[in-house]
């Protein structure tokens, strides 16, 4: 029984780490989406630059299991989108305005993937809770 309790705790801890990592990923993706059409604060300046979440794994020594964490948030150094808008206050001397290197379609696809991963981890937690409850019900009988 003690090993079962350890397995339950290990499953919950691993799934919880997945929840946290995916929640962090969704935060970054939300920021990208929110800034997709922003411009630079000053004429000719650079606008928001897309951020890319990464993951890393770590060993949880108390459970002897690998867990996932949100890693460094990197910046995407790809080119900005440029539009000719001479009347825009953010336009440079040639009338071009730089827009973030954010593609909302890519961000929404990534968001959907993060949401599915989040839900999968949540389902693992719920299934583990049900197994614990069933085990307790059996022990009471």
């Amino acid at each position: 029984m003690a090993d079962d309790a350890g397995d339950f705790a290990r499953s919950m801890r691993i799934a919880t780490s997945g929840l946290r990592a995916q929640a962090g990923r969704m935060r970054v993706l939300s920021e990208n989406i929110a800034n997709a059409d922003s411009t630079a604060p000053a004429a000719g300046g650079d606008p928001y630059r897309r951020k890319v979440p990464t993951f890393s794994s770590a060993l949880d020594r108390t459970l002897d299991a690998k867990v996932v964490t949100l890693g460094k948030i990197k910046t995407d150094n790809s080119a900005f989108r440029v539009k000719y808008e001479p009347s825009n206050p953010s336009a440079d001397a040639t009338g071009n305005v730089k827009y973030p290197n954010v593609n909302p379609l890519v961000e929404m696809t990534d968001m959907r993937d993060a949401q599915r991963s989040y839900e999968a981890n949540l389902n693992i937690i719920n299934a583990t809770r049900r197994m614990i409850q069933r085990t307790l019900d059996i022990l009471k009988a």
Side-chain angles (χ1 to χ4, degrees):
M1 178 64 189
D3 287 341
D4 291 341
D7 289 342
F8 288 143
R10 188 175 291 116
S11 295
M12 296 282 269
R13 185 67 166 261
I14 293 168
T16 300
S17 74
L19 284 176
R20 285 189 190 116
Q22 293 302 334
R25 178 183 180 195
M26 287 188 277
R27 247 186 339 271
V28 173
L29 295 170
S30 295
E31 182 180 331
N32 289 343
I33 292 167
N35 287 289
D37 292 320
S38 63
T39 57
D46 286 343
Y48 175 84
R49 188 169 285 282
R50 178 177 182 253
K51 295 179 182 174
V52 181
T54 65
F55 297 103
S56 61
S57 63
L59 179 64
D60 184 325
R61 295 189 189 282
T62 59
L63 295 174
D64 192 29
K66 282 196 173 186
V67 295
V68 66
T69 59
L70 187 65
K72 291 182 179 182
I73 307 300
K74 298 182 177 183
T75 55
D76 179 350
N77 291 320
S78 62
F80 293 117
R81 294 178 289 136
V82 179
K83 292 183 185 176
Y84 181 70
E85 297 176 349
S87 62
N88 190 315
S90 295
D92 63 14
T94 61
N96 290 318
V97 178
K98 292 181 193 174
Y99 284 91
N101 57 345
V102 175
N103 181 338
L105 182 60
V106 169
E107 301 305 317
M108 290 304 296
T109 302
D110 287 351
M111 182 69 81
R112 185 161 290 170
D113 182 56
Q115 181 182 2
R116 286 186 181 137
S117 294
Y118 186 93
E119 289 171 358
N121 283 297
L122 192 58
N123 287 336
I124 290 169
I125 290 171
N126 288 333
T128 303
R129 285 182 179 164
R130 285 192 301 272
M131 286 190 287
I132 291 170
Q133 187 58 51
R134 287 183 186 147
T135 302
L136 292 173
D137 291 345
I138 290 170
L139 292 173
K140 288 180 186 176

